[in-house]
Coordinates of all heavy atoms in Angstrom, one line a residue:
Q34 N 113.8 61.3 116.3 CA 112.8 60.6 115.4 C 111.4 61.0 115.8 O 110.4 60.6 115.1 CB 113.0 59.1 115.5 CG 114.4 58.6 115.3 CD 115.0 59.1 114.0 OE1 114.3 59.1 112.9 NE2 116.3 59.6 114.0
S35 N 111.2 61.7 116.9 CA 109.8 62.0 117.3 C 109.1 62.9 116.4 O 109.6 63.8 115.8 CB 109.9 62.7 118.7 OG 108.6 63.0 119.2
H36 N 107.8 62.6 116.2 CA 106.9 63.5 115.4 C 106.1 64.5 116.3 O 105.3 65.3 115.7 CB 105.9 62.6 114.6 CG 106.6 61.7 113.7 ND1 107.1 62.1 112.5 CD2 106.7 60.3 113.7 CE1 107.6 61.1 111.8 NE2 107.4 60.0 112.5
D37 N 106.4 64.5 117.6 CA 105.8 65.4 118.5 C 106.7 66.7 118.5 O 107.8 66.6 118.9 CB 105.6 64.8 119.9 CG 104.9 65.8 120.8 OD1 105.6 66.7 121.4 OD2 103.7 65.6 121.0
F38 N 106.1 67.8 118.2 CA 107.0 69.0 118.1 C 107.6 69.4 119.4 O 108.8 69.8 119.5 CB 106.1 70.2 117.6 CG 106.9 71.5 117.5 CD1 107.8 71.7 116.4 CD2 106.7 72.5 118.4 CE1 108.5 72.9 116.3 CE2 107.5 73.7 118.3 CZ 108.3 73.9 117.3
R39 N 106.8 69.2 120.5 CA 107.4 69.6 121.8 C 108.5 68.7 122.2 O 109.6 69.1 122.7 CB 106.3 69.5 122.9 CG 106.8 69.9 124.3 CD 105.6 69.9 125.3 NE 104.7 71.0 124.9 CZ 103.6 71.3 125.6 NH1 103.3 70.6 126.7 NH2 102.8 72.3 125.2
E40 N 108.4 67.4 122.0 CA 109.4 66.4 122.3 C 110.7 66.7 121.4 O 111.8 66.6 121.9 CB 109.0 65.0 122.1 CG 107.9 64.5 123.1 CD 107.5 63.1 122.8 OE1 108.0 62.4 121.9 OE2 106.6 62.6 123.6
L41 N 110.5 67.0 120.2 CA 111.6 67.3 119.3 C 112.3 68.5 119.7 O 113.5 68.6 119.7 CB 111.1 67.4 117.8 CG 112.1 67.5 116.7 CD1 113.0 66.3 116.7 CD2 111.4 67.7 115.4
T42 N 111.5 69.5 120.1 CA 112.2 70.8 120.6 C 113.0 70.5 121.8 O 114.1 71.1 122.0 CB 111.1 71.8 120.8 OG1 110.4 72.1 119.6 CG2 111.7 73.1 121.4
D43 N 112.4 69.8 122.7 CA 113.1 69.4 124.0 C 114.5 68.7 123.7 O 115.5 68.9 124.3 CB 112.3 68.6 124.9 CG 111.1 69.4 125.5 OD1 111.2 70.6 125.5 OD2 110.2 68.8 126.0
F44 N 114.4 67.8 122.7 CA 115.6 67.1 122.3 C 116.7 68.0 121.8 O 117.8 67.9 122.1 CB 115.3 66.0 121.3 CG 116.4 65.1 120.9 CD1 116.9 64.1 121.8 CD2 117.2 65.4 119.8 CE1 118.0 63.3 121.4 CE2 118.3 64.6 119.4 CZ 118.7 63.6 120.3
Y45 N 116.3 68.9 120.9 CA 117.2 69.9 120.3 C 117.8 70.8 121.4 O 119.0 71.1 121.4 CB 116.5 70.7 119.2 CG 116.7 70.2 117.8 CD1 116.1 69.0 117.4 CD2 117.6 70.8 116.9 CE1 116.3 68.5 116.1 CE2 117.8 70.3 115.7 CZ 117.1 69.1 115.3 OH 117.4 68.6 114.0
S46 N 116.9 71.2 122.3 CA 117.4 72.0 123.4 C 118.5 71.4 124.3 O 119.4 72.0 124.8 CB 116.2 72.4 124.3 OG 115.2 73.2 123.6
M47 N 118.4 70.1 124.4 CA 119.4 69.3 125.2 C 120.6 68.9 124.5 O 121.7 68.8 125.0 CB 118.7 68.1 125.9 CG 117.6 68.5 126.9 SD 117.0 67.0 127.8 CE 116.1 66.2 126.5
H48 N 120.4 68.6 123.2 CA 121.5 67.9 122.5 C 122.1 68.5 121.2 O 123.0 68.0 120.7 CB 121.0 66.5 122.2 CG 120.6 65.7 123.4 ND1 121.6 65.3 124.3 CD2 119.4 65.2 123.8 CE1 120.9 64.6 125.3 NE2 119.7 64.6 125.0
F49 N 121.5 69.6 120.7 CA 121.9 70.2 119.5 C 123.2 71.0 119.7 O 123.2 72.0 120.5 CB 120.8 71.1 118.8 CG 121.3 71.8 117.6 CD1 121.7 71.1 116.5 CD2 121.3 73.2 117.5 CE1 122.1 71.7 115.3 CE2 121.7 73.8 116.4 CZ 122.1 73.1 115.3
L50 N 124.3 70.7 119.0 CA 125.5 71.4 119.1 C 125.8 72.1 117.7 O 126.2 71.4 116.8 CB 126.7 70.5 119.5 CG 126.5 69.7 120.8 CD1 127.8 68.9 121.0 CD2 126.3 70.7 122.0

Side-chain angles (χ1 to χ4, degrees):
Q34 309 303 317
S35 175
H36 296 289
D37 183 278
F38 180 76
R39 180 174 297 180
E40 290 181 1
L41 187 59
T42 298
D43 289 343
F44 183 81
Y45 266 73
S46 296
M47 292 186 291
H48 300 294
F49 176 61
L50 304 179

